[in-house]
Amino acid sequence: MCTASSQPLGKLGDAKLQLVFTCKVCQTRSTKTISKQAYEKGVVIVKCPGCEKNHLIADNLGWFQDIKGRNIEEILAEKGENVKRVTSSDETLELTADDILGKEAWTKAQEILIQMAQEEDGNTEEHGASEKRRREDEKPKES
């Protein structure tokens, strides 16, 4: 006789990993929290919030035969790309602007800020010169 058991079939560990990535389809930068156990022993697929495409992060079960590598680190290494791994014992995630925006977006943001500052400096100089001309025009002319 077979009876139903109240014991759970399996339990995921409590350890989590935080992913920060840029979608190569739509360039959306996003973060996802995943189970460390799934990343190391199972399959992890995340959905991009921008284009809603699915991205394979880990396949330790061999479900996707055409992928070289078990996880995103190995998959990208096979393509000559790097993954930055940040670890901390106190569960703190420390990120730079490059990590959050992506290197290309951060570089572009810096260029825009520099351009805006230069334009503002130019506008200030132009405003100063036109203000000086206005004051000179307002001076009473000597006959």
Side-chain angles (χ1 to χ4, degrees):
M1 183 167 160
C2 184
T3 61
S5 171
S6 63
Q7 297 229 342
L9 294 175
K11 181 181 179 211
L12 289 177
D14 292 333
K16 302 288 183 200
L17 299 175
Q18 186 76 33
L19 302 176
V20 180
F21 67 98
T22 301
C23 173
K24 289 188 176 181
V25 176
C26 70
Q27 302 305 310
T28 299
R29 191 84 171 151
S30 60
T31 63
K32 301 286 183 180
T33 302
I34 63 171
S35 155
K36 183 177 180 183
Q37 183 176 356
Y39 182 75
E40 294 176 347
K41 297 181 180 174
V43 174
V44 178
I45 300 171
V46 298
K47 184 175 291 243
C48 171
C51 64
E52 297 190 357
K53 298 262 185 204
N54 291 323
H55 297 282
L56 180 66
I57 302 301
D59 178 15
N60 295 288
L61 304 178
W63 288 1
F64 301 90
Q65 298 296 321
D66 56 332
I67 302 297
K68 294 180 181 176
R70 296 175 303 127
N71 58 49
I72 194 67
E73 293 166 277
E74 292 178 8
I75 293 167
L76 291 179
E78 183 70 29
K79 296 177 180 180
E81 297 180 42
N82 296 325
V83 171
K84 181 177 180 180
R85 185 181 263 251
V86 180
T87 58
S88 175
S89 60
D90 64 354
E91 298 182 10
T92 301
L93 180 61
E94 297 179 12
L95 302 170
T96 66
D98 283 357
D99 298 328
I100 296 167
L101 296 175
K103 186 155 185 72
E104 289 178 25
W106 177 238
T107 301
K108 184 68 175 170
Q110 288 175 316
E111 290 170 0
I112 291 169
L113 290 171
I114 290 168
Q115 181 181 3
M116 289 171 62
Q118 289 171 342
E119 287 173 1
E120 183 64 29
D121 288 345
N123 289 340
T124 303
E125 289 173 12
E126 288 173 21
H127 178 71
S130 64
E131 184 65 21
K132 183 178 178 184
R133 281 192 302 274
R134 186 187 63 79
R135 277 190 248 125
E136 287 176 5
D137 288 344
E138 290 176 354
K139 284 183 185 177
K141 303 219 178 191
E142 295 180 18
S143 322

